[in-house]
Amino acid sequence: MRAWLKMPLNRQRAAWGVGMGLGAMALVPLAVVWLNSLSVLPGDPLLVRPAVLAALGWPWGALLALELALGFGFGASVGLAVPPMEGSGRAVAGRTAVHLLASSALFAGICWVCGLPPRNWQGLTLLLGLYWLMYLTVWLLRWLRWRTELEGIRRELGLAAPAPAGGPLQVRPLAPYLLLAGALELAVPPFFRLVEGGSDIPVLTGLFYPYLLLPFACLAVGWAAGRRRGLGLVLPVICAALTVPHVFLLYNESALFQAGVAAGFALAGNLAGALRRRVKRGRAHEAP
């Protein structure tokens, strides 16, 4: 362990793991308190879910300790995730599979102690499916980052053409990120509608997609594009435009707010990523 921590990159990963673990350990009880506030009468235990407590028959302190342990484990697993392109293709596939299984088990445990999935396996499968979709989005963005770094090395060695000029209105350098955003925004809503079938309450397309997945995807794509390509004002515009077809195909005019959600989160992510890129480059120029 000591030899592993001697490497600066490993120390950084360990710091991220501990920091995100502590953050998640604090967020899980807060989520339970919020969920209890929706259904639990005053005077009942607020830091644990009464239904889960009754099912286990444990003291409430033991269930709270389980919540904290699962939260820390899940946060640490996210923080310790290594760049997926290190090593051979087989090593990448194996490491990704192990990490996905471990983090999925911890995520399922958090959902259970929070009383989130309904009393059937379909509810847990749905929550895991949403987590896997987010995992895939982040993995693809990391792959794009690795490809960009590889292209930069090839250009430094004179093995590739110079990078195209950037700028706030750049389009071509953002093409991979725009394709990823298009795939998510155009493919996910019809898939969710197909899964829902003729349900009277469209939870997936009416709640999870516009209020969870769409903001997350646009924020992540904007952040990744900003870090690697800088400011790109075309990105939020196209992310907003990609929501319009399904407003008329799957929803109605009341769903036009999704365009604002997509544009706002994509712009926020892109600005934050571009600022991070500028600060990082400034430090590199200042270094002797």
Side-chain angles (χ1 to χ4, degrees), residues 26-280:
L27 287 176
V28 171
L30 290 177
V32 171
V33 169
W34 178 74
L35 290 170
N36 280 333
S37 68
L38 302 177
S39 58
V40 177
L41 296 176
D44 289 334
L46 293 178
L47 291 176
V48 297
R49 295 291 278 166
V52 179
L53 188 64
L56 288 176
W58 293 1
W60 76 271
L63 182 56
L64 177 60
L66 179 61
E67 287 180 11
L68 298 176
L70 289 172
F72 181 84
F74 179 71
S77 72
V78 174
L80 289 172
V82 297
M85 304 308 149
E86 291 183 348
S88 64
R90 183 176 298 179
V92 169
R95 185 169 57 247
T96 301
V98 171
H99 183 265
L100 178 60
L101 289 174
S103 61
S104 296
L106 291 167
F107 177 77
I110 291 176
C111 292
W112 180 74
V113 297
C114 291
L116 288 179
R119 297 180 180 179
N120 51 51
W121 63 268
Q122 290 93 337
L124 182 58
T125 303
L126 171 61
L127 292 174
L128 284 175
L130 295 173
Y131 172 70
W132 293 336
L133 182 59
M134 292 182 177
Y135 191 99
L136 176 63
T137 301
V138 174
W139 198 96
L140 289 174
L141 290 173
R142 285 184 143 184
W143 182 83
L144 289 174
R145 177 183 176 184
W146 173 78
R147 290 291 302 177
T148 303
E149 292 175 349
L150 180 60
E151 291 175 5
I153 295 174
R154 288 174 58 83
R155 292 191 186 97
E156 291 288 338
L157 297 175
L159 301 176
L169 299 181
Q170 59 182 314
V171 176
R172 185 177 177 183
L174 298 177
Y177 304 96
L178 294 174
L179 289 174
L180 178 58
L184 291 170
E185 293 187 52
L186 296 177
V188 171
F191 173 74
F192 279 176
R193 182 58 58 90
L194 182 64
V195 172
E196 288 173 336
S199 175
D200 295 332
I201 304 177
V203 176
L204 293 178
T205 54
L207 294 176
F208 279 108
Y209 175 74
Y211 296 106
L212 178 62
L213 290 181
L214 180 63
F216 170 80
C218 291
L219 185 67
V221 171
W223 166 262
R227 285 196 63 184
R228 305 312 307 171
R229 298 300 186 183
L231 183 62
L233 298 180
V234 175
L235 180 65
V237 175
I238 294 181
C239 285
L242 288 170
T243 64
V244 175
H246 289 317
V247 169
F248 300 100
L249 294 175
L250 299 178
Y251 299 93
N252 53 50
E253 290 79 2
S254 64
L256 281 172
F257 75 92
Q258 294 183 17
V261 170
F265 278 90
L267 179 61
N270 186 246
L271 290 174
L275 179 61
R276 169 68 175 170
R277 170 188 170 93
R278 186 171 183 178
V279 171
K280 190 174 181 180

Side-chain angles (χ1 to χ4, degrees), residues 4-26:
W4 184 81
L5 287 174
K6 287 182 179 179
M7 299 180 63
L9 183 58
N10 289 337
R11 289 200 300 270
Q12 184 180 4
R13 290 171 182 165
W16 271 101
V18 173
M20 294 191 70
L22 294 175
M25 189 170 64

